[in-house]
């Protein structure tokens, strides 16, 4: 009778280990999915904020203009510094 009870407890232990492993896998999947949603939400909110009329939109527009101006002026300044 003892060997049968030992097998039942071993089966119960294995069932608990199996359930714990499945819960861990499910938790990892949920965490990964949540991080994907967070990335998408931040990208969408950044895009709407950058195109809006608020402070962030104005700062974003000014940064774009600065980059364009910098890209236009640096080559000519570099040529002037090398030739003069």
């Amino acid at each position: 009778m003892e060997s049968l009870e030992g097998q039942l407890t071993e089966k119960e232990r294995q069932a608990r280990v199996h359930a714990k492993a499945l819960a861990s896998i499910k938790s990892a999947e949920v965490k990964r999915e949540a991080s994907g949603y967070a990335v998408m939400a931040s990208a969408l909110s950044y895009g709407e904020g950058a195109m809006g009329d608020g402070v962030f939109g104005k700062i974003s527009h000014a940064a774009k203009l600065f980059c364009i101006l910098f890209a236009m002026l640096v080559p000519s300044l570099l040529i002037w510094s090398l030739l003069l």
Side-chain angles (χ1 to χ4, degrees):
M1 218 33 163
E2 287 180 355
S3 65
L4 183 60
E5 288 177 9
Q7 288 177 354
L8 289 176
T9 57
E10 180 63 23
K11 285 183 181 180
E12 290 174 358
R13 188 187 71 78
Q14 285 295 325
R16 282 190 224 129
V17 168
H18 185 263
K20 187 176 179 181
L22 287 178
S24 173
I25 291 171
K26 181 68 175 170
S27 172
E29 287 176 358
V30 167
K31 192 180 287 187
R32 185 174 179 191
E33 186 176 349
S35 66
Y37 285 132
V39 168
M40 288 303 296
S42 63
L44 289 174
S45 65
Y46 173 78
E48 288 186 17
M51 298 297 181
D53 293 331
V55 175
F56 186 69
K58 291 177 183 176
I59 291 172
S60 177
H61 184 69
K64 290 176 193 175
L65 292 178
F66 174 76
C67 287
I68 292 169
L69 182 66
F70 186 78
M72 291 174 69
L73 289 178
V74 166
S76 56
L77 290 175
L78 186 63
I79 288 174
W80 284 351
S81 69
L82 292 174
L83 294 179
L84 295 177

